[in-house]
Amino acid sequence: MPDQDAEFITRHIQKHPVNLKFETELAEIINDGNGNACGVITKSGEKISCDFVGLTAGVTPNIDLVKNSILKTAKGIIVNQYLETSVSDVYAIGDCAEISEPPAGRKAIEQVWYIGRMMGETVADTICGIRKAYNPGPWFNSAKFFDVEYQTYGNVPAALNENMDEFFWQHPSIEKCLHIVWKKIHLNLQE
Ligand SMILES: Cc1cc2nc3c(=O)[nH]c(=O)nc-3n(C[C@H](O)[C@H](O)[C@H](O)COP(=O)(O)OP(=O)(O)OC[C@H]3O[C@@H](n4cnc5c(N)ncnc54)[C@H](O)[C@@H]3O)c2cc1C
């Protein structure tokens, strides 16, 4: 996230209250002696007691179901632009699908639910007789942080490069903000 957005979301999360720790890494999970977690120790040596430990380390497609089948797989199940797998009449959509040649500016695997829905609509058209290529259009997504619905439209880098400019507005009293980032266009009006 860009700094302004990250600070906005951080303040909101901390209000709830969650003790967010930055630049902190897990060193050890403490065993209560019965095989259950009862705390963690961070790399700076801090001990935090807890009742359970949840780890979130990114997402990977779960393709166990088809791993030893005739379907072509890599990290996910390989599909073409029609979301067709290597076996006719078998499609893959959503988190498990890996597009062999993704549309320009898009990743081969995009694990967010809007993608799954758009892929579902595309395949529904195809199996109903209108063969359709997957065309997600501009990137967009939303994520919920307690009461804030954080929405993104287009690709916004965490740090702007020199060809970009931005506008950031935050409501003075309620938790709302708007952040617009654009590419600067240099017009040569003398030609
Ligand atoms: C913590 C978390 C937060 C997220 N937040 C957001 C967010 O804010 N915004 C957003 O857009 N996306 C978010 N996502 C991603 C979003 O949830 C996924 O992209 C979406 O659910 C993918 O849908 P899917 O149908 O492809 O896969 P899934 O929803 O994972 O469905 C796959 C189903 O297949 C079942 N299954 C697997 N193997 C087998 C088998 N062998 N036999 C039978 N069934 C099987 C699974 O049990 C599961 O029910 C989040 C994901 C997580 C984990």
Side-chain angles (χ1 to χ4, degrees):
M1 280 185 190
D3 284 350
Q4 301 97 317
D5 304 19
E7 284 160 20
F8 179 88
I9 297 295
T10 296
R11 278 194 300 275
H12 185 71
I13 292 175
Q14 287 171 334
K15 245 172 66 180
H16 267 20
V18 174
N19 182 3
L20 276 182
K21 291 185 179 287
F22 299 100
E23 294 175 37
T24 304
E25 281 182 68
L26 177 70
E28 192 184 328
I29 298 174
I30 309 167
N31 186 340
D32 68 357
N34 297 313
N36 299 316
C38 66
V40 296
I41 298 175
T42 68
K43 283 201 175 158
S44 62
E46 185 185 4
K47 184 178 167 190
I48 306 167
S49 298
C50 64
D51 295 325
F52 72 90
V53 176
L55 299 174
T56 59
V59 281
T60 315
N62 176 356
I63 54 166
D64 292 352
L65 180 68
V66 294
K67 221 165 197 167
N68 297 316
S69 74
I70 51 170
L71 288 188
K72 197 171 160 199
T73 62
K75 200 173 169 196
I77 302 169
I78 301 291
V79 291
N80 63 13
Q81 57 171 328
Y82 295 95
L83 305 171
E84 297 161 338
T85 65
S86 54
V87 176
S88 72
D89 294 331
V90 179
Y91 304 87
I93 61 170
D95 280 14
C96 68
E98 178 172 347
I99 302 180
S100 53
E101 286 174 39
R106 308 298 293 245
K107 294 183 185 133
I109 303 178
E110 291 182 328
Q111 292 175 304
V112 292
W113 83 261
Y114 294 98
I115 298 295
R117 191 189 65 191
M118 283 191 280
M119 287 180 160
E121 288 166 354
T122 304
V123 168
D125 275 344
T126 300
I127 60 183
C128 288
I130 309 160
R131 189 167 181 247
K132 211 171 176 184
Y134 171 61
N135 176 13
W139 166 258
F140 68 98
N141 192 33
S142 79
K144 187 98 179 167
F145 299 97
F146 293 101
D147 307 321
V148 170
E149 185 78 43
Y150 180 80
Q151 302 183 355
T152 328
Y153 300 89
N155 290 312
V156 179
L160 303 194
N161 66 42
E162 58 185 18
N163 297 324
M164 294 176 156
D165 217 337
E166 66 183 334
F167 167 80
F168 182 81
W169 169 85
Q170 193 177 330
H171 194 282
S173 51
I174 54 174
E175 281 181 307
K176 268 188 200 301
C177 74
L178 175 72
H179 194 173
I180 302 173
V181 173
W182 63 90
K183 278 187 192 150
K184 288 189 249 179
I185 299 172
H186 299 283
L187 291 177
N188 187 346
L189 299 174
Q190 284 170 345
E191 283 179 2

